[in-house]
Amino acid sequence: MAYKKKLIEVALPLQAISGEAAREKSIRHGHPSTLHLWWSRKPLAASRAVLWASLVDDPSAHPDRFPTEEAQSGERKRLFNILTELVKWRNTNSPEVLADARAEILASCNGTVPNVLDPFCGGGAIPLEAQRLGLPAYGGDLNPVAVLISKAMVEIPPRFAGVGPVNPEARQSMAVGSWEGARGLAEDVRYYGRRIRDQAFTHIGHLYPRARIPKDTGGQRGTVIAYIWVRTVQSPDPAWSGHVPLVHSWVLRKRPKKPIVWVEAQVDHKAQAISYRIREGGSPPPGTVRRAVGTCIATGATIPNAYIKREGQAGRMAETLMAVVCEGPQGRRYLPPNSVPPVEVPKPEWEPQGRLDGKAADQMPLYGSTHWSHLFTDRQLVALATFSDLLREVQSAVEQDAREAGLSEDKRPLREGGSGAIAYAEAIVTYLAFVIDRCAVKWSKCVPWNAGGEKVEHVFGRQAIAMVWYYPEANPFSSSTGNWLGQLTWVVRVVENLPAQGFGEVLQQDARARLSSVPNPVVITDPPYYDNICYADISDFFYVWLRRNLRFI
């Protein structure tokens, strides 16, 4: 049988593909990359284009139909038009555009769709796009976090495609929704995620008291968005007996057309104490840390980096509350630490075990944070453990509601291909575990505060876990940055936009074993980058939580 040259071997509309790939970076809600953090994700536009162009024949492969260069060029232009529409984000789930693309694949493959395999699937872009194009999608990876993310995109949604929500609120409503694809699944993730939030608030809401807003605005109370903590060490200068702050910048807000907001440290030499107040406007002084070398704010003495590390490793580094960000009746307010009453936070009953290794141990162990639990405050650990504990409770509720909604009595669990009430409940819990992961990456002591955006960032601003000198502790129950419902919304919008069709299978397997387990696959992959990104080391940040939350599933 003569080999037929494929379109990708001859020409591609690279400008259109590159433009759409770049545009994806600005797409927020609904993009699969926001389901769960994974590193070096490939743009869906590029993955879709490479996949399609690798399966569709170039016109030169059919000289009987296109005997001249002019005829071939005309046909190639037609194919380019299809591909240019295919890679656009707005056409991601367009039935018409996808139908045209699938028709070309079938025509080039003699009416039989090939199995597509990515043995290094990572975040799952290639299997997802293969499934979107109507092809049997197979993936494999050694990393359990990557495998789980890919399963959540290509295995779970098709199994429950078209199933309406089972939660009692949706079933009691007179409105009839359109539950195409995974929309019913997404609606249940939203409902039970909100239920978990409400239950968690009854357990730990008291740990996040409301802030007292100054009387110039009516003396009202506002919900705290974030507590701003600064790390401190004992001053090496004997002229000062207490701890001093290590802060790279005093600025809390720096936005165009708004006055700068910053923290002023007030040093009382007589009482040997430091207090903090909020200033608006003016020029803040430089921070007390530059290139990991500190300066004692009380005496001006240098605090060598080696000294800071020794204090951290000896367990003598501390944190003190520097400011509070809250939601007030007139918008966001920045308040001094005494605006919130002190709270006695209990010691967490559970915390993630294991030492930081490899790239994950690049910085934090140098300052005494040697275990995963050290990356969180006690209150953050209590909050994460509380939400995690509620997963088991909500799983039972979903299973009961699913039975009452008429889902089958299939006793098989999700991992064995089940599609009944038991498997459905496990699917909902899987997505809610992703919400906890999204929270963990924001509820950590390694998260910077973004003064330009006035928001909580996340741990992985780069492909490592880095030291930050002051950090925000987000309130899970606020309606602003870093809250539970916000992270839930990211997950829900991805689920409702997944293709939820056809066949998908992702296994945790060595690439050679995966190749031998898929019949006659077309292999399309983006190979791993050796140690450019230390996936195994840094993904353990999520694994220690997923192991706890999904060990039964």
Side-chain angles (χ1 to χ4, degrees), residues 65-322:
R65 294 166 53 200
F66 310 104
T68 66
E69 288 189 13
E70 183 179 1
Q72 292 172 14
S73 179
E75 174 63 6
R76 203 172 285 124
K77 183 178 180 180
R78 186 186 71 84
L79 295 175
F80 281 7
N81 288 338
I82 294 174
L83 186 52
T84 299
E85 289 300 310
L86 182 64
V87 297
K88 292 178 180 178
W89 171 253
R90 68 169 183 264
N91 293 332
T92 299
N93 289 320
S94 167
E96 296 80 12
V97 172
L98 291 174
D100 289 344
R102 291 166 187 158
E104 295 298 330
I105 294 175
L106 285 169
S108 295
C109 297
N110 300 320
T112 303
V113 293
N115 297 324
V116 174
L117 167 65
D118 182 356
F120 308 100
C121 67
I126 292 174
L128 178 67
E129 293 311 310
Q131 189 175 70
R132 196 187 309 279
L133 291 171
L135 307 170
Y138 295 82
D141 207 288
L142 285 178
N143 191 291
V145 179
V147 170
L148 185 62
I149 295 169
S150 296
K151 279 180 174 289
M153 293 198 301
V154 304
E155 274 195 28
I156 296 176
R159 203 175 301 178
F160 302 104
V163 175
V166 304
N167 71 78
E169 185 178 278
R171 287 191 289 119
Q172 291 171 9
S173 172
M174 297 300 292
V176 179
S178 173
W179 308 118
E180 296 176 345
R183 292 184 180 276
L185 189 68
E187 183 59 34
D188 278 335
V189 174
R190 178 186 287 111
Y191 173 86
Y192 293 104
R194 288 180 176 274
R195 175 170 169 167
I196 283 180
R197 188 264 187 200
D198 293 343
Q199 291 175 327
F201 185 78
T202 64
H203 292 304
I204 59 172
H206 64 281
L207 298 181
Y208 301 88
R210 292 164 65 83
R212 296 184 297 272
I213 298 176
K215 292 183 179 179
D216 62 352
T217 58
Q220 299 183 32
R221 290 185 175 270
T223 300
V224 173
I225 295 172
Y227 306 85
I228 308 295
W229 297 89
V230 60
R231 301 183 196 265
T232 66
V233 293
Q234 172 73 39
S235 174
D237 190 334
W240 186 263
S241 63
H243 273 229
V244 291
L246 301 171
V247 57
H248 76 280
S249 170
W250 298 106
V251 177
L252 297 178
R253 183 181 75 190
K254 189 175 183 180
R255 305 190 73 168
K257 300 180 181 180
K258 285 189 176 183
I260 190 171
V261 175
W262 53 284
V263 177
E264 181 182 42
Q266 298 178 304
V267 180
D268 186 335
H269 287 89
K270 184 176 179 180
Q272 295 275 289
I274 300 173
S275 60
Y276 303 94
R277 70 170 184 154
I278 304 300
R279 295 285 302 274
E280 188 171 300
S283 300
T288 62
V289 175
R290 182 176 174 82
R291 295 181 179 177
V293 175
T295 300
C296 175
I297 196 172
T299 68
T302 297
I303 308 176
N305 182 247
Y307 174 84
I308 297 173
K309 289 176 179 176
R310 284 198 303 271
E311 291 296 286
Q313 292 170 15
R316 293 190 291 266
M317 184 180 284
E319 296 100 13
T320 190
L321 189 61
M322 184 173 72

